[in-house]
Amino acid sequence: MKSAATMPRRNLVPWKGMLVGLLFGCLVVLNLAPLIWGFLTSLKSEADLFRFPPTLFDFEPTLENYRRVFASGFGQSLAVSLTYSTITVVMVLLLGVPAAYAFDRFEFPGRKPLLLLVVASIPLSLGAAALLIPNYIYFLKLGLTNHFYTLPLIYTAHQLPMAIWIIKGTMEGIPRELDEAAIADGAGHFTILRLVILPLILPGLGAAGVMAFVGSWNEFVASTVMVDNPALRPVQPAIYNFIGYFGREWGPLSAAAILGILPILIVFTLLGRLIVSGLTKGSVKG
């Protein structure tokens, strides 16, 4: 097999390169335009918000909308969401690593059906509105609703299949000869997992952690039903509260949305490369 360094490069026709660049430029504009417009809206006074024709930059910036948002207790909702997401990431990694190790390194009865079940449950990471009613009934009968651990339990169940799939894919790229060498030296499976496997799957762990954080931070449906205590309300329902009975409060709504997006932007800026690295780590075997 030819290595990537020895494979011939394909020259891109100039006009095709310009077309690709124009396409990506359009995608960047389409993705950034709503974010920029929302940020500018969050800095406008009520008079500037309803000015006609609308203005993009010709207005006097104000932080009044952000003051109103924080006065409503939005800061507590941010802290609650950060706590929920952190707990979810920790639980997903604690449960996902040994599960992925077992699926990748062991043969046991029911392994393939269980793995298919895990793969089939991956769409839960995008939310499961269809399961909301049965989940609510079960949690209500068990007395698990409206507690600080209610949403982390649901988020962990939703994000765990995706984490197992990502981590298992990363483990597949690790030669089994390393396990055999460690066993020959007297190491057990726990020692192999801790000292041999874990240092080599850090990109996969990072990718799984980022996906779990983003999925739990953005979840809306379960968080609006499973808890009704304002002290336990995460950030997404708190943003929705600015859509009032008499209409939308565009200034505070935009400010709350920007504050809700900011942690996601920070996470992707610092750890975004881990998603690509973790998802492709085990895709090519030497």
Side-chain angles (χ1 to χ4, degrees), residues 132 135-136 139 145-146 150-151 154 222-228:
L132 180 62
N135 282 341
Y136 179 74
F139 273 59
T145 58
N146 214 35
T150 300
L151 292 178
I154 295 176
S223 59
T224 60
V225 176
M226 292 297 184
V227 294
D228 54 18

Side-chain angles (χ1 to χ4, degrees), residues 2 4 11 20 43 60 151 163 172 203-204 243 255 270 275 278 280-281:
K2 293 183 179 181
N11 294 325
V20 171
L43 298 176
E60 187 68 26
L151 292 178
E172 289 176 352
I243 303 177
L270 298 178
I275 296 180
T280 60
K281 186 71 174 178

Side-chain angles (χ1 to χ4, degrees), residues 5-276:
T6 60
M7 292 180 65
R9 295 183 178 180
R10 296 182 178 179
N11 294 325
L12 192 64
V13 179
W15 70 269
K16 290 185 178 180
M18 294 177 59
L19 184 60
V20 171
L22 181 62
L23 177 61
F24 276 99
C26 292
L27 291 176
V28 170
V29 171
L30 290 175
N31 282 276
L32 290 182
L35 183 62
I36 295 174
W37 181 265
F39 175 70
L40 294 175
T41 301
S42 70
L43 298 176
K44 292 181 179 181
S45 64
E46 188 171 355
D48 290 323
L49 284 172
F50 296 99
R51 183 189 299 182
F52 186 84
T55 59
L56 188 60
F57 298 108
D58 185 19
F59 64 91
E60 187 68 26
T62 177
L63 296 177
E64 179 60 29
N65 293 320
Y66 289 92
R67 283 192 285 267
R68 288 182 58 186
V69 166
F70 280 107
S72 68
F74 193 79
Q76 182 180 1
S77 296
L78 286 173
V80 168
S81 276
L82 182 61
T83 303
Y84 289 166
S85 300
T86 302
I87 294 174
T88 301
V89 170
V90 172
M91 293 301 298
V92 161
L93 294 181
L94 286 177
L95 297 174
V97 169
Y101 181 72
F103 278 123
D104 187 60
R105 288 319 204 234
F106 294 99
E107 292 289 341
F108 52 87
R111 174 181 174 273
K112 289 185 177 181
L114 285 175
L115 186 57
L116 289 175
L117 180 61
V118 169
V119 174
S121 300
I122 288 177
L124 288 175
S125 62
L126 303 177
L131 298 178
L132 180 62
I133 295 178
N135 282 341
Y136 179 74
I137 294 174
Y138 294 147
F139 273 59
L140 189 63
K141 289 184 177 181
L142 295 174
L144 298 179
T145 58
N146 214 35
H147 295 286
F148 75 93
Y149 51 79
T150 300
L151 292 178
L153 281 175
I154 295 176
Y155 295 165
T156 300
H158 287 182
Q159 303 301 321
L160 187 58
M162 173 67 78
I164 294 175
W165 179 70
I166 293 174
I167 298 171
K168 181 183 180 299
T170 308
M171 286 184 181
E172 289 176 352
I174 300 176
R176 294 178 181 267
E177 288 77 8
L178 295 178
D179 299 30
E180 297 171 358
I183 292 175
D185 291 336
H189 290 293
F190 179 76
T191 303
I192 294 173
L193 177 61
R194 183 169 59 92
L195 299 180
V196 178
I197 303 296
L198 283 181
L200 298 177
I201 62 170
L202 291 180
L205 296 180
V210 170
M211 298 292 286
F213 181 90
V214 173
S216 57
W217 183 275
N218 288 333
E219 204 283 327
F220 173 76
V221 177
S223 59
T224 60
V225 176
M226 292 297 184
V227 294
D228 54 18
N229 187 346
L232 301 176
R233 182 185 301 132
V235 67
Q236 302 303 330
I239 295 175
Y240 185 78
N241 285 340
F242 290 100
I243 303 177
Y245 180 79
F246 296 101
R248 295 167 176 82
E249 302 177 78
W250 289 111
L253 178 62
S254 299
I258 293 297
L259 291 172
I261 293 173
L262 191 59
I264 300 298
L265 295 179
I266 294 174
V267 168
F268 270 96
T269 300
L270 298 178
L271 304 174
R273 290 185 178 181
L274 288 177
I275 296 180
V276 177

